[in-house]
Amino acid sequence: MSEKTIYESLQERGISRRDFLKLATLITAALGLEYAEMPRIVRAMETKTRLPVIWLEFQDCAGCTEALTRSLDPTLTKLLFSDISLDYHETLFAAAGAQAEENKRRVIEEYAGRYVLVVEGSIPRKDQGVYCTIGGQSAEALLKEAAEKAKAIIAVGTCASFGGLPKANPNPTGAVGVDTLVKDKPIINVPGCPPVPEVITNTIAHILLLDKPPKLDPLGRPKAFYGQTVHDRCPRRPFYERGQFAESFDDEGARKGWCLYKLGCKGPTTYSACATIKWNGGVSFPVQSNHPCIGCTQPDFWDEGGVYNALSAPPGAAEARGLATGVAAAGGVALAVGHSLYAKKKKQKAAQAFQAQKQAEASQQAQEE
Amino acid sequence: MSTTQVLEFTRGPLFKFSLLVFTLGMLYRFFRILFLGWKKDYAPPRGSAWVGIVKTYLKSLIIFPFLPPKFPSSRHRPLTYIAGGMFHAGLFVVIFLLAAHIETWREVLGFGWPSLPTPLVDGAAVVAIVGLITLASNRFVNPVTRMLTGVGDWLNLLFVFLPLVTGWAMYHHLFGLDYTKLFIAHMVTVDWLLIWIPFSRLSHFLTYFITKTMHGAKFGRLGVEP
Amino acid sequence: MDAARNLTNYFVQHADGWLIAQLDTCVQCGLCAAACPFYLGTGDPAHTPIRKVEPLRQAVQQEFGVKGWLASLVGAASSPDERTLHHWAVEAYFACTVCNRCALACPMGIDLGGLIQFTREGLAAAGLTPPSLADAVARQKATGSPLGVTQALYEDRLQWLREEEGVEIPLDEAGAESLVVFTSVELIKFPGNLAATARVMQAAGERWTVSSIGREAVNFATFSGETEEQVAFVQRIIEAALALGVKRVILTECGHAYDTVRRVAERLYGESLPFQIENILETLQRFLSTGRIRVDPTRFHQQRITFHDACKLQRLGGLIEEPRFILRAVASDHFVEMTPNREAQICCGGGGGVIANPEADELRMKAFLPKVEQLEAIQPDTVVTACSTCRLQFLDGTRYYNLDVTVRGITEMVAEALIL
């Protein structure tokens, strides 16, 4: 049974050549490619068949799935959901239990080396992985099993990419991201809490159509979407430059659209497409809605020192104010006392030595006379 | 270790540690002078020591940056005088009047104060950097300062230069360098500077108040303009 | 070796918080050099004021600093050799007048004058004072005068003056209100000062006297840094004043005497001192402002007159407006100021004992160069000063540089202008 190409599937659904080319243009842009690349996309869609996908969820909140399915870009999302066969998804599948697990294993064997593994949620390692099990198997084992024959792995969300919320201090479950456990497969990290839906879909489309992962930054994130900081593209940047900041939530400055640096915005240290692609089809993003960026695409952002603490105001300095400073001050004064006493003793010794010397010189002089 | 973790370390525990070392060191430096004490000035007063003290601070700390120097030898060394003033004034503005730094002070002290518009502080930073470079080159060119300058003095200049320049580069996203990495560099250089100050001549900013007060008192008592 | 050790021991023994504060706060800006006539006149950075206290800095760093402590652990503590010690003595005694102009120029307010004086004290304690100075102190100790003017010589000279000038100079007169203490420099080189003072006292109707014991205002131990001798020399004046029961001691045209005598007296007696200590400038102003003497304001009307502020009297004594008051009284509108003036005046280069060291002659002439510039800028006919060392230095300097300027002492000017 030869599988239908994507173009054939679309034809079947009654989409004209013209609409198909329009779609191809849209996808070219979505992948961050130049218009000249469009023929490549067209050819890919004309020749490629459906892409099998296995979507595993571990220690997650399913927020990434929610974001994706609530994406308001129906054409692209529907395209992907109809043209990738979502052969296994914990949240979306109606099937459950042993049968669903059995089905997954069948897909792994049948499409060995050809399927894409999508992982959502972090993987716990403590206490033999008892904190997340499905059908009696630990998340780690499930991951290794599915990763072994995958073509590539996409870690969707900050939990899968870097460990996310479960990894925050004190990390009671020993949570880690995918690339801590899997070393021998290409892994694309698509972090965010949740990631911008279009970033997820566009990354999948890239693999689907161009057969290789997009260019990645040192943290394994697609450069096309994670190459610039929120700060670099923030519409409130002029206020940052001028030094006009909101002092408290919803104050006059905030309502005028002033910079949220003082309210803890992590925009300058956060690489994400939030400020350009935005959310809900380009309607808004946190800063635009008067909430500081919490830096959710960065590793360990939960431990990045307080959501509402400005980047330049290390939290916990207030704790140091009390005891630690008192101890340091006392230490300084004690050192000063110590040194003064030492100096005074030295002065006495010097005085004695000086006297002795003078007496010696005097007696020598007396002898000479 | 992720970049985030490195950043958190340099502006969290390392910053705290540096502040504590700074506190300990500066108090040590200050109090050992007080505890060692000094002899009474037996000049029979022809004037008031307090008037002398007030005058000397007005002339050299408060009005100094804004008026031409009153003492003629400063006019002989305009470069040292002007560049020194530029540097200190710029540094003061950057440390105390930048909105981002005031947030740091607020966290450390428990209170803050109004800031200057950021472009002005940016200008002040440039003034400070230019002043510092001028002082450094003058140190090399002028025969008196070249003779007086030791390794410690060069290190002092370097350790003050680095936080200024990393902070300025950070704000301007200079050369497209990564903000987070520049932030780490800024914090590392600031933390090091805090640790270095009590053990070097840079502590002069505190002992200055002792010598200047003594100077004002001495000349005030003599009845001479300090 | 002994000298070096004695030097360090002296510094350590007398080190205190003031010393640490001063040395800690110097940032090596070099502005002190720009104020020093020895640097300005030679361009030699070795005469930078903070460099003159190098022995002090090294001793403190070695004994109280971390670097020195580490060095001593490793046995790498260095000791200065004879050449270095000699160089330090030259810088402290020949290339400095302790004028304190550097102290005013220092942006950190470092007491450079105090540091240099302390350095001199250490050098003296270690026996490193230049021989000419040491000899002068020894002479003052033995004879009461650094020039060797014994009591007999003194009384002889007074008698000669009485006859030559026709003035009364009471000696050891009981019931006198003021004890006037001259310097042996004036006695020998500027006897006109004594005559002038006598005339002014007579015109003012002052009951005054000189003392055969407390007869020397100059204190060469101040220059050498020998603190014990310094006190002993001042004691002679105080005891004489106490014995005579005067209300006031008047110190004549000497720079350092004013501060030295008052400071030692304050330390020893505080407020219990039964008499005041005054400088002749204050006396002259007092007489003029109360009308006890009257002067002719046109007496010097043909001359452009300027005043040289003596470092120890003006910058360190505060007697800044008194000479101007006096000169305006006798020279009305022909008085011009040098630039700079008052507490910012440039030292003439002869004070602090420098003029007493023949080996320092060449250097002090170079130090006079800024003064030459100042004089050439205003072209005065006469330079007036209230310090005999300045007067000597100006005489030497104007001759050396062929300047057509008359050098005068202020008391003589007043005496000449007296309306009797």
Side-chain angles (χ1 to χ4, degrees):
Chain A
M1 175 178 74
S2 71
E3 294 186 24
K4 279 194 280 270
T5 68
I6 298 170
Y7 183 37
E8 285 163 354
S9 312
L10 289 170
Q11 271 179 322
E12 257 183 28
R13 248 178 271 133
I15 290 178
S16 67
R17 178 75 184 175
R18 171 171 297 181
D19 284 337
F20 168 71
L21 290 173
K22 274 200 218 161
L23 183 65
T25 315
L26 179 71
I27 292 173
T28 311
L31 294 181
L33 298 169
E34 290 190 3
Y35 183 67
E37 302 278 338
M38 199 201 87
R40 232 174 119 198
I41 298 300
V42 170
R43 195 155 315 117
M45 288 170 83
E46 284 172 348
T47 54
K48 291 203 180 299
T49 57
R50 292 142 57 95
L51 176 75
V53 167
I54 295 179
W55 187 299
L56 296 179
E57 286 178 67
F58 296 127
Q59 288 192 136
D60 73 329
C61 66
C64 300
T65 297
E66 293 285 332
L68 184 63
T69 53
R70 289 178 205 310
S71 160
L72 285 179
D73 185 348
T75 321
L76 206 52
T77 314
K78 240 172 99 191
L79 163 80
L80 287 173
F81 272 101
S82 58
D83 283 281
I84 58 173
S85 38
L86 200 55
D87 287 292
Y88 178 91
H89 192 301
E90 180 189 301
T91 301
L92 297 178
F93 267 25
Q99 194 188 6
E101 296 303 304
E102 191 43 52
N103 189 44
K104 180 184 64 171
R105 275 185 214 103
R106 190 186 49 76
V107 167
I108 287 175
E109 288 311 317
E110 193 180 317
Y111 293 104
R114 288 197 288 141
Y115 65 88
V116 167
L117 174 63
V118 177
V119 181
E120 186 179 348
S122 65
I123 301 101
R125 301 193 84 181
K126 249 204 183 146
D127 299 326
Q128 284 132 1
V130 76
Y131 299 107
C132 178
T133 64
I134 301 169
Q137 272 185 293
S138 75
E140 188 173 345
L142 288 166
L143 172 66
K144 294 239 166 83
E145 182 192 35
E148 204 192 328
K149 301 209 168 92
K151 180 158 90 166
I153 305 176
I154 302 178
V156 162
T158 307
C159 292
S161 303
F162 307 125
L165 170 58
K167 190 182 180 224
N169 255 333
N171 197 357
T173 63
V176 294
V178 171
D179 57 15
T180 308
L181 297 171
V182 178
K183 303 288 184 191
D184 57 351
K185 294 280 172 184
I187 301 175
I188 303 161
N189 288 326
V190 182
C193 193
V196 175
E198 285 79 2
V199 173
I200 305 176
T201 55
N202 295 352
T203 304
I204 295 175
H206 194 290
I207 298 179
L208 168 65
L209 296 168
L210 296 176
D211 220 15
K212 59 181 166 67
K215 284 213 184 68
L216 303 176
D217 76 359
L219 284 172
R221 306 175 293 194
K223 267 199 188 150
F225 310 112
Y226 296 89
Q228 284 178 326
T229 60
V230 171
H231 183 65
D232 285 335
R233 286 279 178 249
C234 182
R236 300 197 177 196
R237 183 69 178 269
F239 297 105
Y240 168 88
E241 300 285 343
R242 264 188 266 152
Q244 285 168 305
F245 302 100
E247 301 286 337
S248 63
F249 280 105
D250 217 33
D251 71 358
E252 207 190 309
R255 270 180 263 128
K256 282 200 212 152
W258 286 3
C259 173
L260 304 176
Y261 184 96
K262 287 193 182 181
L263 296 177
C265 184
K266 305 293 184 290
T269 53
T270 305
Y271 287 86
S272 182
C274 300
T276 41
I277 300 180
K278 298 195 194 175
W279 296 78
N280 296 316
V283 165
S284 181
F285 76 110
V287 174
Q288 197 175 321
S289 305
N290 264 330
H291 190 283
C293 165
I294 64 173
C296 71
T297 61
Q298 299 293 124
D300 304 307
F301 77 94
W302 285 108
D303 294 329
E304 205 192 354
V307 167
Y308 300 116
N309 281 80
L311 272 171
S312 67
E319 299 155 23
R321 231 184 284 150
L323 183 65
T325 310
V327 169
V333 175
L335 254 182
V337 170
H339 194 188
S340 310
L341 291 173
Y342 165 77
K344 291 208 168 112
K345 244 210 286 241
K346 254 196 123 85
K347 281 166 48 135
Q348 272 173 348
K349 268 202 348 224
Q352 286 164 356
F354 186 75
Q355 278 300 101
Q357 180 68 25
K358 282 289 152 183
Q359 272 172 353
E361 281 174 6
S363 64
Q364 197 181 37
Q365 217 172 21
Q367 267 188 348
E368 281 167 9
E369 276 161 14
Chain B
M1 204 174 178
S2 69
T3 323
T4 313
Q5 284 175 318
V6 174
L7 178 61
E8 282 324 294
F9 178 70
T10 58
R11 71 184 185 121
L14 188 61
F15 181 61
K16 251 188 273 187
F17 174 74
S18 314
L19 272 178
L20 293 176
V21 171
F22 176 77
T23 309
L24 187 146
M26 290 312 295
L27 283 174
Y28 156 68
R29 258 219 120 114
F30 187 79
F31 278 101
R32 79 170 171 166
I33 292 173
L34 295 189
F35 290 149
L36 281 172
W38 51 85
K39 299 188 274 278
K40 183 165 134 69
D41 183 357
Y42 285 106
R46 295 186 81 250
S48 154
W50 284 111
V51 169
I53 292 171
V54 168
K55 272 192 185 164
T56 193
Y57 278 116
L58 279 177
K59 281 162 80 164
S60 74
L61 190 63
I62 298 164
I63 305 181
F64 151 86
F66 311 110
L67 284 185
K70 215 189 157 229
F71 204 78
S73 60
S74 304
R75 292 194 208 116
H76 273 277
R77 285 275 180 279
L79 213 60
T80 307
Y81 184 84
I82 293 172
M86 271 168 60
F87 162 69
H88 282 95
L91 192 67
F92 178 85
V93 169
V94 166
I95 293 178
F96 292 104
L97 295 175
L98 179 68
H101 288 162
I102 293 174
E103 292 309 301
T104 318
W105 285 109
R106 198 191 304 275
E107 191 70 31
V108 170
L109 293 174
F111 61 89
W113 48 84
S115 61
L116 269 185
T118 312
L120 285 183
V121 181
D122 185 46
V126 172
V127 163
I129 292 173
V130 168
L132 195 57
I133 294 174
T134 310
L135 285 173
S137 27
N138 184 58
R139 231 174 228 294
F140 193 70
V141 164
N142 179 295
V144 171
T145 46
R146 193 169 52 232
M147 177 198 67
L148 291 173
T149 304
V151 172
D153 300 304
W154 291 117
L155 288 178
N156 289 345
L157 284 166
L158 178 69
F159 295 148
V160 174
F161 181 73
L162 290 176
L164 270 174
V165 110
T166 50
W168 194 78
M170 213 168 109
Y171 171 72
H172 283 281
H173 300 248
L174 219 50
F175 311 125
L177 286 171
D178 177 27
Y179 184 92
T180 312
K181 296 216 175 77
L182 279 172
F183 198 165
I184 292 173
H186 186 61
M187 287 319 300
V188 166
T189 53
V190 166
D191 294 336
W192 172 249
L193 181 63
L194 283 172
I195 294 173
W196 173 259
I197 285 177
F199 303 108
S200 70
R201 280 289 167 72
L202 288 175
S203 57
H204 76 267
F205 78 88
L206 190 61
T207 52
Y208 164 87
F209 290 99
I210 300 179
T211 54
K212 204 68 178 175
T213 306
M214 284 178 174
H215 172 86
K218 171 176 171 165
F219 281 93
R221 225 179 269 121
L222 289 171
V224 176
E225 282 289 309
Chain C
M1 197 50 206
D2 287 329
R5 209 163 352 118
N6 279 340
L7 187 64
T8 307
N9 280 336
Y10 185 86
F11 289 147
V12 170
Q13 183 184 346
H14 293 98
D16 59 6
W18 165 85
L19 180 65
I20 306 288
Q22 307 301 318
L23 294 174
D24 263 358
T25 313
C26 169
V27 289
Q28 276 94 8
C29 72
L31 276 173
C32 53
C36 178
F38 288 88
Y39 172 74
L40 291 171
T42 61
D44 186 357
H47 302 321
T48 305
I50 196 65
R51 213 20 159 205
K52 294 171 188 166
V53 304
E54 184 64 10
L56 194 51
R57 193 196 63 81
Q58 277 192 19
V60 169
Q61 189 181 64
Q62 196 179 305
E63 300 295 313
F64 296 113
V66 176
K67 251 197 276 184
W69 177 67
L70 289 172
S72 68
L73 285 181
V74 198
S78 66
S79 187
D81 60 9
E82 251 189 69
R83 240 189 76 188
T84 311
L85 289 173
H86 176 75
H87 172 77
W88 285 344
V90 165
E91 287 303 321
Y93 284 107
F94 294 174
C96 179
T97 56
V98 203
C99 77
N100 271 263
R101 192 159 189 264
C102 45
L104 280 182
C106 174
M108 312 302 293
I110 292 175
D111 185 5
L112 275 155
L115 288 175
I116 293 177
Q117 186 65 25
F118 186 41
T119 306
R120 284 189 178 188
E121 287 173 21
L123 290 167
L128 293 164
T129 315
S132 30
L133 253 184
D135 288 346
V137 178
R139 265 197 302 274
Q140 184 164 4
K141 193 168 172 189
T143 64
S145 146
L147 298 183
V149 177
T150 58
Q151 183 175 343
L153 246 168
Y154 181 75
E155 292 177 15
D156 236 6
R157 190 79 171 157
L158 285 182
Q159 188 51 33
W160 168 83
L161 208 59
R162 289 187 192 104
E163 287 161 9
E164 186 76 14
E165 296 285 335
V167 287
E168 275 178 41
I169 305 179
L171 174 68
D172 294 330
E173 189 154 299
E177 204 176 283
S178 304
L179 165 65
V180 175
V181 186
F182 291 101
T183 67
S184 43
V185 174
E186 286 167 298
L187 194 75
I188 305 296
K189 290 249 164 79
F190 308 121
N193 271 15
L194 281 81
T197 310
R199 290 202 175 93
V200 169
M201 291 291 163
Q202 185 171 34
E206 179 91 344
R207 279 179 21 242
W208 70 292
T209 183
V210 299
S211 157
S212 51
I213 315 269
R215 62 180 189 275
E216 177 65 89
V218 153
N219 195 319
F220 261 63
T222 301
F223 298 152
S224 70
E226 290 165 85
T227 42
E228 278 173 31
E229 310 299 352
Q230 186 197 45
V231 171
F233 296 163
V234 173
Q235 288 276 51
R236 290 176 184 163
I237 300 173
I238 294 177
E239 269 150 32
L242 289 172
L244 285 166
V246 292
K247 283 229 245 348
R248 183 183 304 112
V249 168
I250 299 176
L251 303 165
T252 58
E253 288 184 15
C254 177
H256 66 282
Y258 186 59
D259 185 68
T260 300
V261 175
R262 289 171 76 236
R263 198 178 284 266
V264 170
E266 177 77 15
R267 207 178 89 216
L268 295 178
Y269 293 88
E271 280 179 5
S272 67
L273 195 70
F275 54 82
Q276 280 178 310
I277 303 169
E278 204 175 75
N279 179 271
I280 190 71
L281 287 169
E282 295 175 283
T283 317
L284 293 171
Q285 190 203 31
R286 190 160 46 88
F287 288 168
L288 283 167
S289 62
T290 55
R292 280 174 67 176
I293 59 172
R294 285 179 316 126
V295 290
D296 174 8
T298 65
R299 175 69 180 78
F300 301 103
H301 77 281
Q302 296 284 22
Q303 299 174 37
R304 251 168 95 75
I305 295 179
T306 188
F307 180 72
H308 167 76
D309 296 89
C311 305
K312 306 288 160 52
L313 283 174
Q314 273 71 51
R315 182 162 34 253
L316 289 170
L319 299 168
I320 294 176
E321 297 310 321
E322 285 85 346
R324 284 158 175 89
F325 178 90
I326 297 165
L327 285 174
R328 288 211 165 87
V330 302
S332 58
D333 43 351
H334 291 276
F335 175 70
V336 288
E337 293 274 12
M338 278 194 258
T339 305
N341 55 64
R342 291 182 165 79
E343 72 276 351
Q345 179 61 273
I346 304 178
C347 175
C348 67
V354 170
I355 206 165
N357 295 300
E359 309 102 275
D361 281 349
E362 204 185 314
L363 195 51
R364 80 176 153 93
M365 281 301 107
K366 291 220 183 84
F368 194 73
L369 271 169
K371 190 60 59 184
V372 173
E373 272 176 39
Q374 281 184 288
L375 292 172
E376 282 177 345
I378 57 169
Q379 302 280 337
D381 298 299
T382 306
V383 177
V384 185
T385 178
C387 163
S388 301
T389 297
C390 296
R391 199 161 155 188
L392 281 172
Q393 171 76 340
F394 268 83
L395 285 168
D396 285 348
T398 50
R399 190 184 18 215
Y400 189 86
Y401 289 104
N402 289 314
L403 296 179
D404 187 14
V405 183
T406 316
V407 183
R408 309 224 47 199
I410 199 166
T411 316
E412 283 184 345
M413 307 268 294
V414 173
E416 278 177 36
L418 278 175
I419 301 173
L420 296 162

